[in-house]
Amino acid sequence: MNLKNVIGAMTLACAGVSSVPALAQQTAAQQPQGWMWGFGVAASQDVYTDFDNRIVPIPIIGYTGEKLRVYGPFVGYELFRESGFTLDAQLVPVFAGYEEDDSAVFTGMDDRDFSYAAGIGLNYDTGSWIYSLSTNADILGKFDGYQASASIGKRFRIDNFMIEPSLGVTYQDSNYVDYYYGVRPEEATTFRSAYNGDSAVNTEIRVAVSTPQFLDGMTRLEIGATFFDDSISDSPLTDDDTALSAMLVYTRFF
């Protein structure tokens, strides 16, 4: 499972706002500041062959200040804000990869490791529509590549509930795809051919519902689907081109 969507749901629930761009756009007067705690659970499919669905518990400790936001390994720092636009510097983990014993399809292959990336995000918040662009690059030398994302979302409020559908695309360069979905020549077998991954553009649709109604904190449920590019679904390591995910997160300030 690519857990990059943990960033979105976890960050949003921590902040008590309705989207990643919205988080970036909240002013110091609007957004509570200080330390927070919480917990959650994420469930996701993966397109790797015979790879078990993952259920991941999420303990949360975070801090939000006037410019700095820290949610576990996710770090953002506001560089610029003007007329609904916000530019952030970001440090984010890359939750991808596998170990050899995760599936029989990986037998005889080297593990593919998680990594950490640095980048920037540009957001524009009109109040109801939210637009986001971001890019980040590997800084640990695991896949030596980069990713870039663009999304658009809209907020609907019904009583104490915020409903947020969104649509996004993510570009992953050939180094990323080849590292996580490629098969090196020395790893090829009779049943697993060598494969050199090309760059990919994946599409995501998501719907989130958040509310401050329970236990004096913020509760957020998000469900979504990712539709993978042919350069990923054609890999001998995968057997599908679509992955579903769901996440439930609760947070509150100390």
Side-chain angles (χ1 to χ4, degrees):
M1 174 181 64
N2 189 335
L3 289 179
K4 73 183 183 63
N5 295 311
V6 171
I7 300 171
M10 177 173 154
T11 301
L12 303 179
C14 286
V17 296
S18 57
S19 67
V20 171
L23 171 63
Q25 298 298 327
Q26 296 297 308
T27 65
Q30 293 172 312
Q31 180 177 308
Q33 297 184 19
W35 290 92
M36 62 192 73
W37 65 274
F39 55 86
V41 61
S44 180
Q45 299 174 322
D46 207 300
V47 293
Y48 288 124
T49 301
D50 295 329
F51 200 95
D52 292 337
N53 295 340
R54 297 196 196 187
I55 299 177
V56 182
I58 309 168
I60 299 169
I61 292 290
Y63 171 80
T64 179
E66 183 177 355
K67 293 183 179 294
L68 178 66
R69 298 179 301 278
V70 180
Y71 307 113
F74 312 104
V75 180
Y77 188 84
E78 183 183 290
L79 300 174
F80 171 83
R81 179 195 302 275
E82 184 68 35
S83 302
F85 287 92
T86 299
L87 180 67
D88 284 353
Q90 301 171 342
L91 291 173
V92 297
V94 179
F95 289 119
Y98 52 82
E99 295 182 353
E100 182 182 358
D101 59 1
D102 282 338
S103 171
V105 75
F106 305 134
T107 300
M109 297 186 65
D110 292 336
D111 296 344
R112 304 301 197 260
D113 298 325
F114 291 0
S115 194
Y116 207 64
I120 57 173
L122 177 65
N123 306 291
Y124 178 57
D125 187 349
T126 69
S128 59
W129 289 94
I130 313 103
Y131 306 88
S132 178
L133 296 171
S134 65
T135 185
N136 60 69
D138 179 21
I139 59 175
L140 296 185
K142 299 300 184 181
F143 61 90
D144 288 324
Y146 71 94
Q147 304 179 79
S149 298
S151 67
I152 179 172
K154 184 171 176 60
R155 305 188 192 103
F156 300 90
R157 183 177 293 279
I158 301 176
D159 296 328
N160 288 328
F161 293 85
M162 188 75 78
I163 302 171
E164 311 142 54
S166 63
L167 174 66
V169 294
T170 297
Y171 172 84
Q172 296 168 329
D173 78 343
S174 58
N175 286 351
Y176 180 102
V177 176
D178 191 46
Y179 181 74
Y180 289 116
Y181 298 98
V183 178
R184 299 163 184 161
E186 64 271 21
E187 297 172 329
T189 68
T190 304
F191 304 101
R192 184 182 61 221
S193 59
Y195 185 76
N196 186 29
D198 200 358
S199 60
V201 178
N202 308 319
T203 303
E204 298 178 349
I205 56 173
R206 320 202 73 77
V207 176
V209 179
S210 55
T211 179
Q213 195 158 293
F214 306 114
L215 303 174
D216 298 321
M218 177 61 62
T219 303
R220 180 180 176 91
L221 173 65
E222 181 174 312
I223 59 175
T226 302
F227 305 93
F228 289 89
D229 191 284
D230 287 349
S231 63
I232 292 176
S233 61
D234 287 346
S235 166
L237 303 179
T238 66
D239 63 356
D240 205 345
D241 61 1
T242 304
L244 304 178
S245 62
M247 182 176 296
L248 178 66
V249 178
Y250 169 83
T251 57
R252 64 179 294 176
F253 282 87
F254 285 105

